[in-house]
Amino acid sequence: AQTVTQSQPEMSVQEAETVTLSCTYDTSESDYYLFWYKQPPSRQMILVIRQEAYKQQNATENRFSVNFQKAAKSFSLKISDSQLGDAAMYFCAYRAYNAGNMLTFGGGTRLMVKP
Amino acid sequence: KAGVTQTPRYLIKTRGQQVTLSCSPISGHRSVSWYQQTPGQGLQFLFEYFSETQRNKGNFPGRFSGRQFSNSRSEMNVSTLELGDSALYLCASSLWGAVVDTEAFFGQGTRLTVV
């Protein structure tokens, strides 16, 4: 079974600074997708960024980028120029290539942004 | 374009009762997945429906069931409620949810409290 681990229950960052959230996963599959979701106090999960395992290039979405290390099964999220609106729970998630929309989530990291 | 709509937003039930939660996916989306979110267990996959058929199922007891209608709307039912069923139940829809990589869009969830 696949597992996703987020070792940082809480992180804090100063506004305008950079922060990196860690995620490791375990799978025997060779094709899969990895995601970072944001859950603000409104509770709605919002997709931040996604990475296809077959792509060597790290995904980037504006201020958000990932460091995908397939051999190490590591998938960290870097948030640059942190903003107050980035404060939320962040979840790393895994989806096998042929598993429909069955996501396996990590335990989450609560990110606090200090003004 | 309307997002994923979950009703009701909040629900209080008594132990032993049953409950039905509803999820209306984004128009045109055929895959609906359900997740349970609790402080202790985190986000756990319940089941996924695609074209009225259950395609994937998580590791939950038979008290948890679901169905999908021809218009892709989905309901989940929990019978003989236990205190431990208190959770945020999230629904996610996607266009295909098959091998094709499509994003899952989440609703705001239903907060179920069992007393």
Side-chain angles (χ1 to χ4, degrees):
Chain A
Q2 295 83 11
T3 58
V4 179
T5 303
Q6 294 179 248
S7 59
Q8 307 151 317
E10 281 192 0
M11 292 281 286
S12 66
V13 62
Q14 206 71 34
E15 196 176 4
E17 297 293 309
T18 296
V19 65
T20 299
L21 308 184
S22 301
C23 172
T24 58
Y25 59 94
D26 188 26
T27 182
S28 58
E29 304 284 338
S30 57
D31 292 325
Y32 49 87
Y33 301 97
L34 295 166
F35 307 86
W36 278 99
Y37 279 91
K38 170 185 177 181
Q39 187 178 40
S42 69
R43 309 178 317 195
Q44 187 160 17
M45 301 284 280
I46 302 165
L47 179 64
V48 174
I49 198 166
R50 68 183 179 190
Q51 174 82 41
E52 291 88 346
Y54 63 86
K55 291 185 177 178
Q56 292 185 343
Q57 187 173 7
N58 289 323
T60 299
E61 288 288 343
N62 301 314
R63 299 183 295 107
F64 300 88
S65 61
V66 298
N67 183 4
F68 173 49
Q69 301 290 329
K70 190 173 185 179
K73 295 180 181 175
S74 170
F75 182 60
S76 60
L77 173 69
K78 185 172 81 171
I79 306 174
S80 304
D81 186 25
S82 296
Q83 300 175 0
L84 295 178
D86 294 334
M89 284 291 292
Y90 286 81
F91 292 94
C92 177
Y94 165 98
R95 192 185 88 203
Y97 185 69
N98 59 353
N101 253 317
M102 184 170 66
L103 293 165
T104 300
F105 286 92
T109 297
R110 180 175 301 281
L111 177 66
M112 295 172 285
V113 181
K114 300 177 182 177
Chain B
K1 191 174 187 181
V4 178
T5 303
Q6 292 188 245
T7 56
R9 292 289 306 278
Y10 301 91
L11 205 50
I12 300 176
K13 288 288 188 178
T14 302
R15 192 171 46 184
Q17 288 185 314
Q18 74 165 13
V19 67
T20 299
L21 312 182
S22 178
C23 174
S24 293
I26 292 172
S27 178
H29 285 196
R30 295 167 60 188
S31 166
V32 175
S33 299
W34 289 89
Y35 296 85
Q36 181 196 64
Q37 185 175 20
T38 60
Q41 299 298 317
L43 276 154
Q44 294 185 286
F45 172 79
L46 281 155
F47 28 65
E48 180 197 8
Y49 286 87
F50 180 72
S51 293
E52 302 179 63
T53 301
Q54 186 180 87
R55 180 161 58 181
N56 289 298
K57 188 178 189 305
N59 188 27
F60 278 81
R63 299 186 296 107
F64 292 81
S65 62
R67 60 177 175 170
Q68 186 179 34
F69 302 95
S70 58
N71 62 357
S72 293
R73 188 178 72 85
S74 177
E75 289 181 346
M76 68 163 282
N77 184 277
V78 188
S79 62
T80 319
L81 283 166
E82 301 177 359
L83 296 179
D85 297 333
S86 295
L88 178 67
Y89 290 88
L90 292 167
C91 163
S93 79
S94 66
L95 189 59
W96 292 107
V99 175
V100 175
D101 174 28
T102 58
E103 179 182 345
F105 293 84
F106 283 81
Q108 287 190 289
T110 294
R111 171 76 66 185
L112 171 65
T113 302
V114 182
V115 297

